[in-house]
Amino acid sequence: AFYDDKIITYANRPIRPVTLSQLVRFGQPPLTKASLRECAQYARTELPVRLARRVRAFQTLPFIVGTNPYIKEIYKLYYESFESLEPFSHDRTPNDDIEYSENLKDLVDRHADNIPTLARGFLECKQYMHAQDVAAFLDDMIHARIGIRLIAEQMIALVRQEQTGDTTDNSYIGIIDTQLNPAQLVKQCSDFVAELCEFNYGASPETIMDGHTDATFTYIPVHLEYILTELLKNAQRATVEFAKKRGLSQPPPIQITISHGQEDISIRIRDQGGGVAEDDLNQVFEYSYTTVAKASEDEDPSNIFTGIAEMAMQSGIGGPLAGLGFGLPLARMYARYFGGSFTLVSMNGYGCDVFLKLKHIDQSMAELEI
Ligand code: W6P
């Protein structure tokens, strides 16, 4: 096809990593034509490169895997997205930001279910690929997807900001919050998870918070929201199940400590859910695409995993993946995306500590290659 050569050309161009501070600078109020132009110019040249690289990644899969309907569907989606966005990279002085932004919205929507679809595809191709190769492909794909969506959504948000003339003194710059209060988001996420936990188990643990609960930093709320929801879901579920097993009338509380340091914001989530056996510790971060693919077929309403996934989907939080075997690897990928980390420490027979560390934006962390 006509676009095959173009895809090779674009895919061979280097990625230009985006930094949080760059994204913030683009949208620094007052939003000027020039800064919108700068962001648009970056998106217009960068997205085709990133999409072309995704197309190429699919082309490296074993031939038979590429014939799988689910895999092929996502491959075609990337190919078509490249075709629809590539023309926008040519104009030197484009005046079609609104049309471009509509295209990006379409891209974001159409790619919404990529990961469960890919999971389904790879499940059917198990006999043709090693699990490590699938995991490497998924790591690369999911990492790239985060970046593509970040650039697209920032552009969409800035165009909307310009359209609505919204220059109110809110703390948002596009999809970035310059005054994100982690304690507040922890509260919001733990209330949400507790409700689902209550619904599935008839009980939920209390959340106790201490440390620097007034701290604020610059971050992407939807990323932190995803990470926290995922971690809290695991912590609450383990706590309630372990309390039942021990015949406790009340599940013990989850303790959360927030600290605001020179370079990072740290969040420690401490549960008394019995901990994770040594042999299972590594597995916690492995893609379990079996569960993702299966969940939509046979949903067990008594299972908090599927229950939460279903409700999270309806409320728009977490998406269709929540708690389905992709949850923790994805949460860790979000944490690492801008140089953060999270570590799970098990106190066997008692509970788990999760240490989440996120860099302040002023350290100008760039998205990291994996
Ligand atoms: C557990 C297992 C787990 C995973 C992630 C976060 C917290 C917890 N607690 O027992």
Side-chain angles (χ1 to χ4, degrees), residues 48 74 96 112 114 116 130 146 150 161 177 254 260 283 300 355:
I74 306 304
D96 51 1
N114 282 8
H130 292 298
I146 295 172
L150 194 64
Q161 207 167 311
D177 190 352
I254 289 173
H260 182 270
Q283 260 187 317
D300 172 9
F355 297 89

Side-chain angles (χ1 to χ4, degrees), residues 107-315:
L107 170 106
V108 168
D109 288 347
R110 290 180 65 199
H111 287 255
D113 292 332
N114 282 8
I115 296 168
T117 305
L118 285 176
R120 223 160 268 139
F122 282 114
L123 181 63
E124 293 184 355
C125 293
K126 260 185 94 134
Q127 66 268 47
Y128 307 119
M129 273 178 86
H130 292 298
Q132 315 92 280
D133 294 336
V134 174
F137 179 87
L138 286 171
D139 276 343
D140 186 35
M141 205 45 135
I142 294 171
H143 187 267
R145 184 173 181 272
I146 295 172
I148 290 168
R149 292 176 88 78
L150 194 64
I151 296 166
E153 299 200 73
Q154 185 67 358
M155 179 67 198
I156 294 166
L158 291 184
V159 169
R160 187 188 304 125
Q161 207 167 311
E162 198 204 25
Q163 285 312 108
T164 57
D166 186 5
T167 52
T168 45
D169 59 346
N170 76 38
S171 57
Y172 276 82
I173 295 172
I175 57 165
I176 297 164
D177 190 352
T178 59
Q179 281 169 48
L180 178 58
N181 176 329
Q184 209 176 319
L185 193 53
V186 164
K187 171 89 173 76
Q188 183 191 311
C189 294
S190 70
D191 285 352
F192 170 74
V193 173
E195 221 171 282
L196 298 168
C197 194
E198 198 78 41
F199 179 82
N200 280 279
Y201 287 99
S204 66
E206 224 190 307
T207 297
I208 301 171
M209 233 186 312
D210 63 11
H212 302 153
T213 51
D214 292 332
T216 64
F217 73 133
T218 300
Y219 210 71
I220 300 162
V222 291
H223 286 191
L224 184 54
E225 183 183 57
Y226 181 86
I227 297 166
L228 289 173
T229 304
E230 195 53 44
L231 294 178
L232 291 166
K233 222 167 45 192
N234 279 282
Q236 290 202 19
R237 172 176 171 269
T239 303
V240 171
E241 283 186 345
F242 193 59
K244 278 216 168 121
K245 204 168 109 188
R246 289 195 300 161
L248 302 180
S249 59
Q250 282 281 321
I254 289 173
Q255 291 161 278
I256 300 182
T257 305
I258 292 166
S259 81
H260 182 270
Q262 284 264 305
E263 290 191 356
D264 41 36
I265 287 272
S266 304
I267 303 173
R268 181 183 60 203
I269 302 174
R270 172 168 291 175
D271 70 59
Q272 296 175 43
V276 179
E278 222 59 52
D279 289 347
D280 297 332
L281 262 183
N282 287 327
Q283 260 187 317
V284 165
F285 293 109
E286 277 171 17
Y287 296 113
S288 157
Y289 39 93
T290 332
T291 43
V292 183
K294 266 190 73 184
S296 55
E297 282 155 29
D298 46 67
E299 257 153 337
D300 172 9
S302 69
N303 182 350
I304 190 173
F305 280 173
T306 48
I308 279 189
E310 207 179 359
M311 293 183 70
M313 212 166 2
Q314 284 162 10
S315 71

Side-chain angles (χ1 to χ4, degrees), residues 41-169:
Q41 206 51 48
Y42 174 73
R44 283 164 188 265
T45 52
E46 186 67 8
L47 288 176
V49 175
R50 295 189 185 218
L51 291 168
R53 284 176 167 239
R54 290 306 95 213
V55 171
R56 296 295 287 161
F58 276 101
Q59 292 172 349
T60 66
L61 289 172
F63 178 78
I64 189 143
V65 175
T67 65
N68 177 277
Y70 295 119
I71 309 273
K72 199 156 73 186
E73 179 190 330
I74 306 304
Y75 169 68
K76 281 175 67 182
L77 207 49
Y78 277 103
Y79 203 113
E80 288 163 14
S81 300
F82 174 83
E83 288 177 321
S84 77
L85 293 188
E86 192 271 339
F88 286 96
S89 68
H90 298 305
D91 274 338
R92 280 290 121 202
T93 53
N95 263 322
D96 51 1
D97 280 345
I98 295 164
E99 188 195 340
Y100 182 57
S101 167
E102 290 303 318
N103 267 269
L104 293 181
K105 279 185 205 163
D106 187 56
L107 170 106
V108 168
D109 288 347
R110 290 180 65 199
H111 287 255
D113 292 332
N114 282 8
I115 296 168
T117 305
L118 285 176
R120 223 160 268 139
F122 282 114
L123 181 63
E124 293 184 355
C125 293
K126 260 185 94 134
Q127 66 268 47
Y128 307 119
M129 273 178 86
H130 292 298
Q132 315 92 280
D133 294 336
V134 174
F137 179 87
L138 286 171
D139 276 343
D140 186 35
M141 205 45 135
I142 294 171
H143 187 267
R145 184 173 181 272
I146 295 172
I148 290 168
R149 292 176 88 78
L150 194 64
I151 296 166
E153 299 200 73
Q154 185 67 358
M155 179 67 198
I156 294 166
L158 291 184
V159 169
R160 187 188 304 125
Q161 207 167 311
E162 198 204 25
Q163 285 312 108
T164 57
D166 186 5
T167 52
T168 45
D169 59 346

